Amino acid sequence: MNERTAARRETNPTKGGLDLSQVRSIDGVDVRGKRVLVRVDFNVPIENGVVADTTRLTRVLPTIAKLAREEAKVVVLSHLGRPKGTPTPDTSLKLVAVKMQELMPGTAVRFAAAHSGDDAKRVVDALKPGEVTVLENVRYHKGEEKNDRDFAKALAALGDLYVNDAFSSSHRAHASLEAITDLLPSYAGLLMMAEITALGEALEQPERPAMAITGGAKVSTKIEVLTNLVSRMDQLVVGGGMANTLLLAKGFTLGASLVERDFVATAKGIMARADESGCEVVLPIDVVVAKELKPGAAWQLCGAGNVPSEGMILDFGPKSLAELKRRLGQVKTVLWNGPLGAFETPPFGEGTFALAREVARLTKSGKLVSVAGGGDTVRALNEAHVAEDFSYVSTAGGAFLEWLGGAQLPGVVALARSGSRTH
Ligand code: 3PG
Ligand code: MG
């Protein structure tokens, strides 16, 4: 360990107490004939009665298919939306179960209009080895979000084993994620294992030099993330609206750009912390500026310190891109969260897309390990058609951010704790 790494470890013992090696994988466990409760994250976008994005379904499919192949009776638990204890038509998991059946035609996938109780029990009792039942939204019960032990007991009564394959929900200490692990032998699913391995390696033991790329509108929503990243990574590239507040803290004038004046001191603190731990903060050199944020708006390029009074920074410019490409050529790990411009409004996604293509190219040629996560980020990578070429793309939004911020995720902690006990 070099001095810098040692100092970094000392100033940032964020994952202290959580020993991920205690998390047991379901892989290799004898599940034949057993009722296996699998908590997944089927919180997918539904538009006009159709599942609009099946990523979370296809990513958890290997776990469900494996359990079915090994002749478990598979009972799937999930939430969808935020119904807060009251069923609503648009938060039923029925549609999702139907989609799941389409995605795995060789396996019987059914839906039960109950999450617990006698109705659910009847359905589970009728399951044959190798069959799958998706239970109704666990958030239809008020006990779910309260991490209620009685509700956890009602769920646990439906299974012999519990598997958490919902990394992207595991920042919630809810009954089907946390309390239930006290009641059944608990394991991580294949997707959970992949998520914690990829994210753990990129954040905690990255091949160095390691670069984090972070964007999004506001510093105020990512203070923990920035603080944690500067103490762990060698370079932190900041873009999007967030970069404006950092540029403001450095004394730049930014015209009509989005800035958070109340967070200038915070931004200064983060940059000071970066200095202390030897992390370089990389900000845009040139920027794309427009008077309005709308598709096809007239834009101009200018230096980051030369924004005209009516101009808003909406993307970074070609000089910044060249500098970022030069830096990418020197690092071995890239951890990406947050778009670097107003990418939903063309042409202001060009910077983000070009950088994504370069990360993908270097990853494909074996020069980089690249890990990305967060809803907007994954959307941007999909738009640039490069998500497939990244080393790992997380299914998590909020959970990914909390992990990047150094938080321990209750669902993951519960698995580690359960793994350290013998059942
Ligand atoms: C997500 O989509 O990020 C998770 O499913 C968590 O959903 P929640 O924010 O409603 O808890
Ligand atoms: Mg508990």
Side-chain angles (χ1 to χ4, degrees), residues 387-406:
E388 308 278 283
D389 296 329
F390 272 55
S391 312
Y392 193 78
V393 176
S394 177
T395 53
F400 187 80
L401 272 183
E402 292 207 17
W403 180 282
L404 283 188

Side-chain angles (χ1 to χ4, degrees), residues 147 178-179 182 417:
N147 204 18
E178 217 259 0
D182 291 335
R417 205 178 47 224

Side-chain angles (χ1 to χ4, degrees), residues 110-422:
R110 298 208 180 78
F111 171 72
H115 44 66
S116 59
D118 290 344
D119 289 346
K121 187 148 191 320
R122 259 192 299 279
V123 175
V124 173
D125 285 346
L127 267 181
K128 297 193 184 71
E131 292 182 348
V132 178
T133 281
V134 178
L135 297 186
E136 185 55 287
N137 196 335
V138 286
R139 286 190 185 170
Y140 284 0
H141 194 290
K142 285 205 163 58
E144 167 64 1
E145 293 191 55
K146 291 191 179 128
N147 204 18
D148 178 65
R149 200 175 161 86
D150 289 333
F151 182 51
K153 273 188 192 156
L155 295 175
L158 302 172
D160 304 306
L161 301 177
Y162 168 78
V163 174
N164 180 345
D165 214 19
F167 175 80
S168 53
S169 303
S170 291
H171 55 317
R172 308 294 183 210
H174 294 172
S176 69
L177 293 154
E178 217 259 0
I180 195 168
T181 64
D182 291 335
L183 305 168
L184 289 175
S186 300
Y187 300 87
L190 307 181
L191 176 59
M192 171 65 86
M193 289 307 288
E195 293 271 9
I196 60 182
T197 304
L199 273 50
E201 279 172 9
L203 185 62
E204 279 139 53
Q205 299 125 17
E207 257 213 83
R208 294 186 183 276
M211 173 193 280
I213 300 175
T214 170
K218 292 180 172 177
V219 169
S220 55
T221 59
K222 291 196 184 169
I223 296 168
E224 286 81 12
V225 173
L226 294 168
T227 307
N228 194 32
L229 289 176
V230 295
S231 50
R232 290 181 177 276
M233 310 301 273
D234 302 296
Q235 300 188 26
L236 175 69
V237 173
V238 185
M242 265 167 51
N244 301 347
T245 302
L246 270 65
L247 288 167
L248 187 66
K250 283 179 161 265
F252 287 65
T253 44
L254 300 169
S257 301
L258 170 76
V259 288
E260 289 182 286
R261 287 187 197 282
D262 294 347
F263 287 88
V264 166
T266 307
K268 282 186 180 155
I270 290 165
M271 290 190 283
R273 181 137 184 183
D275 263 355
E276 279 160 32
S277 47
C279 173
E280 254 188 289
V281 176
V282 183
L283 296 172
I285 310 165
D286 60 340
V287 287
V288 174
V289 168
K291 285 189 186 153
E292 48 186 351
L293 174 56
K294 66 169 202 201
W299 55 272
Q300 68 180 98
L301 281 173
C302 57
N306 273 326
V307 180
S309 61
E310 292 181 346
M312 289 185 294
I313 301 176
L314 297 176
D315 198 1
F316 61 87
K319 285 189 192 139
S320 307
L321 179 62
E323 172 61 9
L324 294 176
K325 283 186 173 176
R326 185 186 70 76
R327 288 174 176 273
L328 279 176
Q330 296 170 345
V331 300
K332 298 224 168 81
T333 303
V334 168
L335 185 53
W336 191 336
N337 172 261
L340 303 187
F343 82 99
E344 288 111 332
T345 311
F348 306 111
E350 292 309 313
T352 298
F353 299 153
L355 193 66
R357 285 193 294 270
E358 181 67 358
V359 173
R361 187 184 72 79
L362 291 166
T363 305
K364 264 210 300 207
S365 59
K367 296 191 175 115
L368 260 190
V369 171
S370 52
V371 175
D376 286 344
T377 312
V378 175
R379 224 166 297 138
L381 298 187
N382 283 333
E383 260 186 61
H385 306 291
V386 298
E388 308 278 283
D389 296 329
F390 272 55
S391 312
Y392 193 78
V393 176
S394 177
T395 53
F400 187 80
L401 272 183
E402 292 207 17
W403 180 282
L404 283 188
Q408 300 193 352
L409 308 190
V412 180
V413 173
L415 285 181
R417 205 178 47 224
S418 164
S420 69
R421 287 192 302 256
T422 38

Side-chain angles (χ1 to χ4, degrees), residues 6-56:
R8 193 177 281 124
R9 294 255 162 93
E10 251 168 45
T11 53
N12 205 345
T14 41
K15 286 282 192 312
L18 174 55
D19 181 358
L20 289 180
S21 68
Q22 307 270 27
V23 174
R24 296 175 298 184
S25 168
I26 189 64
D27 200 14
V29 175
D30 180 12
V31 296
R32 199 187 168 90
K34 294 193 179 128
R35 299 170 304 160
V36 182
L37 280 180
V38 191
R39 177 44 156 114
V40 301
D41 188 350
F42 279 170
N43 191 28
V44 292
I46 297 198
E47 285 161 23
N48 306 320
V50 181
V51 177
D53 180 356
T54 57
T55 308
R56 282 184 170 169

